[in-house]
Amino acid sequence: MIRILDLHKSFGPKTVLAGVNLDIRKGETMVIIGQSGSGKSVLLKLLIGIMAPDRGEIRVDGTAVTSLRREDRLRVARRFGMLFQAAALFDSMTVGQNVAFGLERYTDLGPAEVAERVADSLAKVGLRGIERLMPHELSGGMKKRVGLARAIAYRPEIILYDEPSTGIDPIRADAINEMIILLKREMNVTSVVITHDMVSATKVADRLAMLYEGRIIALGTPDEIRRSPDPVVQQFIHGRAEGPITNW
Amino acid sequence: MERTGRASLLAGFLRQMGEVSILFAETFRNLFRKPWEKKNFLQQLEEIGARTLPVVSLTAAFGGLVFGLQTYVGFHRYIGHGSEAYGGPIISLGLTKELIPILVGLMVAGRVGSSMAAEIGTMRISEQVDALFTLGADPNRYLVVPRTAAAFLMLPCLTLFGDIIGILCGAFYNVTLMGVNGTVYIRNTLLYLQFWDVVSGLIKAAAFGILIAVIGCWQGLKAEGGAEGVGRATTRTVVIASISILIVNFFMSKFLPG
């Protein structure tokens, strides 16, 4: 479904991605793990088209989306939903307006249908009747769930999750993990999750990929990754300070 | 070493000019593309127009008063008693062509330009600008076009309003406070103030509106580094927009006919 070919991205002298190659299959949950600052978020932003790569290509169902004009890229973005790390809710809008935002742009639904879909999306993430609240009235976990409701409201085929369990307590983090699994099952979406939380990663992943020094250095099922002989992978998944990774 | 420093300074300046030019070109192109973000546009009209009116009124009033005061002193001192009534056209000309457009531009740069940079900068840092893209809204069309179009329309309106207040306050100082002959003052003002004098000031104001909005949005969209970055973007907007207004004003005064 998504094919990433030799993707490069630098910011000034700092190289973030140095030739990423990865295939993501339709309907699977691919979790990309890696240290903070290893370029995971950049990879997600390249996938959805917020940023353009310096070199390389991203293909969605065979179409090279990286070479599309911005207008066409916006149309491709319709197929994606994205949950941002800090939810990125529009703070000048109510919860209801936030969730309706994509629906109003991507669909031809009338106001009543939009309101119904908003309520339905909020119910899917376990929040009911909070349409009139403002984002500043929500807790961190609620913000994430509203962000998720906004991402799924227009029924995208691919959902990108940027650190879904970061910044919330373990119980709420697990609730988000359950939701990722449930949405995959109910909506049959392809999911790309980036995280450095190994508990979350092994719980939701069909396959895991580890990003290190701008490249994918390991790819496989959670079991395969756990058994990887690579000392870098072992150091990361066991969260040890000692080992080949020294730039922390 | 010094040459390298100068070269990198020049390169930085040219890069920034390039960034603003690209943003302006993109905004201009998007201005004629549908769909229009009508709600945002109306909000910006209110923000730039109605909410800036009090500060523009106050500035124009005291601008008119002080200009009236100095013109009175000038005529009284150098030409003599009774000549002060000839100050009317000078006050009106100075206010409509130069002082009011500049004062309005500087006030809007301080009040609205800085708030554009702060709002968009905060949105960028909290990834709301990225979220717009993922939800099908081009950030340029959603954020920059409505602000630029509203500033382009509202700055001339504010300036025209400021012109009226400034001229009335100049007249108030001379006629009411200093006892200048009101009939002669008003007749001279109407006789020598030309329609084009007012229009050229409004054209300048429209150009200042574009400058302020594009600079404010540009600084907001490139803000980085948390609250400190937003603060820097806000300050830079006021400084760059104010200097640009003064420079552009000189060249427009020089090259606009009349």
Side-chain angles (χ1 to χ4, degrees):
Chain A
M1 178 159 204
I2 302 173
R3 174 161 284 187
I4 301 167
L5 297 163
D6 194 29
L7 211 60
H8 287 73
K9 183 72 185 174
S10 301
F11 296 97
K14 186 175 163 57
T15 301
V16 179
L17 301 179
V20 171
N21 290 287
L22 187 65
D23 277 346
I24 300 164
R25 299 168 193 151
K26 191 173 172 59
E28 81 169 335
T29 299
M30 168 66 77
V31 176
I32 301 167
I33 54 172
Q35 285 176 278
S36 300
S38 60
K40 303 187 299 294
S41 293
V42 171
L43 184 56
L44 277 200
K45 287 180 181 178
L46 290 169
L47 273 178
I48 204 165
I50 292 168
M51 287 179 186
D54 300 334
R55 210 168 83 208
E57 204 169 81
I58 296 169
R59 292 186 193 157
V60 179
D61 286 338
T63 308
V65 294
T66 31
S67 51
L68 293 176
R69 288 182 311 131
R70 195 169 169 80
E71 292 286 302
D72 300 321
R73 203 65 223 266
L74 267 170
R75 269 192 283 277
V76 174
R78 159 76 179 87
R79 300 180 66 183
F80 290 82
M82 182 159 174
L83 171 62
F84 288 86
Q85 192 171 339
L89 299 180
F90 304 124
D91 44 25
S92 58
M93 297 180 196
T94 63
V95 166
Q97 287 167 334
N98 263 283
V99 180
F101 195 92
L103 274 174
E104 285 164 352
R105 277 168 175 73
Y106 283 139
T107 67
D108 299 322
L109 298 177
E113 291 161 299
V114 167
E116 196 180 314
R117 188 81 77 85
V118 167
D120 179 50
S121 303
L122 285 169
K124 269 201 173 73
V125 297
L127 297 169
R128 286 172 204 275
I130 63 158
E131 284 90 333
R132 287 171 191 274
L133 293 183
M134 295 301 288
H136 67 84
E137 296 175 275
L138 308 176
S139 68
M142 284 170 88
K143 276 184 191 166
K144 286 232 170 179
R145 285 193 279 168
V146 172
L148 190 52
R150 184 176 69 177
I152 62 169
Y154 51 91
R155 302 196 177 141
E157 299 159 55
I158 305 153
I159 304 183
L160 311 178
Y161 299 88
D162 187 357
E163 306 277 8
S165 56
T166 300
I168 49 178
D169 66 62
I171 296 167
R172 286 199 172 93
D174 193 53
I176 296 272
N177 293 338
E178 293 290 346
M179 247 167 251
I180 295 172
I181 295 165
L182 189 75
L183 288 173
K184 183 199 163 193
R185 202 183 308 142
E186 280 192 357
M187 294 169 67
N188 195 30
V189 291
T190 304
S191 308
V192 183
V193 182
I194 62 167
T195 185
H196 46 66
D197 172 2
M198 284 312 298
V199 176
S200 171
T202 47
K203 179 159 187 171
V204 301
D206 292 319
R207 288 196 300 156
L208 279 161
M210 179 160 173
L211 188 62
Y212 180 66
E213 292 186 336
R215 288 189 180 86
I216 300 292
I217 58 158
L219 176 67
T221 62
D223 271 348
E224 286 167 346
I225 291 293
R226 246 191 305 267
R227 292 196 303 269
S228 168
D230 189 331
V232 172
V233 177
Q234 286 302 321
Q235 184 189 354
F236 183 81
I237 63 175
H238 291 105
R240 288 193 295 257
E242 292 85 24
I245 306 173
T246 51
N247 57 335
W248 38 266
Chain B
M1 190 80 171
E2 199 178 310
R3 278 181 66 178
T4 316
R6 272 206 299 268
S8 70
L9 207 68
L10 182 68
F13 175 74
L14 290 176
R15 194 185 63 243
Q16 300 208 354
M17 289 298 287
E19 284 173 12
V20 182
S21 307
I22 290 168
L23 181 66
F24 175 72
E26 196 184 344
T27 307
F28 188 74
R29 208 175 46 237
N30 283 335
L31 198 62
F32 303 101
R33 285 184 181 166
K34 286 186 175 177
W36 253 68
E37 298 289 347
K38 287 188 206 107
K39 196 176 148 199
N40 284 4
F41 174 63
L42 293 174
Q43 269 175 359
Q44 290 305 318
L45 283 182
E46 187 191 347
E47 180 63 33
I48 300 168
R51 295 201 180 155
T52 313
L53 210 53
V55 75
V56 163
S57 307
L58 201 67
T59 313
F62 280 93
L65 283 171
V66 81
F67 211 56
L69 181 154
Q70 296 299 355
T71 312
Y72 176 88
V73 170
F75 271 92
H76 189 76
R77 189 183 297 168
Y78 300 113
I79 300 178
H81 181 71
S83 66
E84 300 91 345
Y86 293 95
I90 294 173
I91 294 168
S92 308
L93 191 77
L95 287 174
T96 55
K97 287 189 84 168
E98 302 292 342
L99 195 63
I100 298 295
I102 288 179
L103 283 177
V104 169
L106 294 178
M107 284 298 122
V108 174
R111 209 197 81 82
V112 180
S114 59
S115 105
M116 285 179 187
E119 189 183 351
I120 297 176
T122 307
M123 285 183 74
R124 176 173 152 76
I125 281 160
S126 59
E127 294 186 307
Q128 291 176 54
V129 175
D130 291 343
L132 282 175
F133 182 89
T134 67
L135 295 164
D138 182 335
N140 183 280
R141 280 195 205 177
Y142 190 82
L143 298 170
V144 187
V145 170
R147 283 167 172 78
T148 308
F152 172 76
L153 287 177
M154 288 322 293
L155 264 279
C157 297
L158 289 169
T159 300
L160 187 61
F161 185 76
D163 286 346
I164 295 165
I165 292 197
I167 290 171
L168 288 177
C169 286
F172 171 77
Y173 182 83
N174 278 276
V175 177
T176 312
L177 298 183
M178 304 310 291
V180 170
N181 185 320
T183 314
V184 180
Y185 185 97
I186 292 165
R187 196 193 62 208
N188 282 338
T189 301
L190 294 175
L191 194 64
Y192 293 109
L193 180 69
Q194 293 176 2
F195 179 66
W196 177 249
D197 297 330
V198 178
V199 171
S200 68
L202 301 185
I203 292 172
K204 282 181 179 180
F208 298 162
I210 295 173
L211 266 179
I212 294 163
V214 171
I215 291 169
C217 295
W218 164 57
Q219 281 296 318
L221 286 171
K222 62 181 264 176
E224 52 190 20
E228 197 186 338
V230 175
R232 261 200 309 272
T234 309
T235 312
R236 275 196 197 136
T237 297
V238 178
V239 173
I240 298 171
S242 302
I243 292 171
S244 306
I245 285 169
L246 296 174
I247 294 171
V248 168
N249 179 64
F250 169 76
F251 285 104
M252 288 185 85
S253 296
K254 178 87 182 148
F255 294 111
L256 277 175

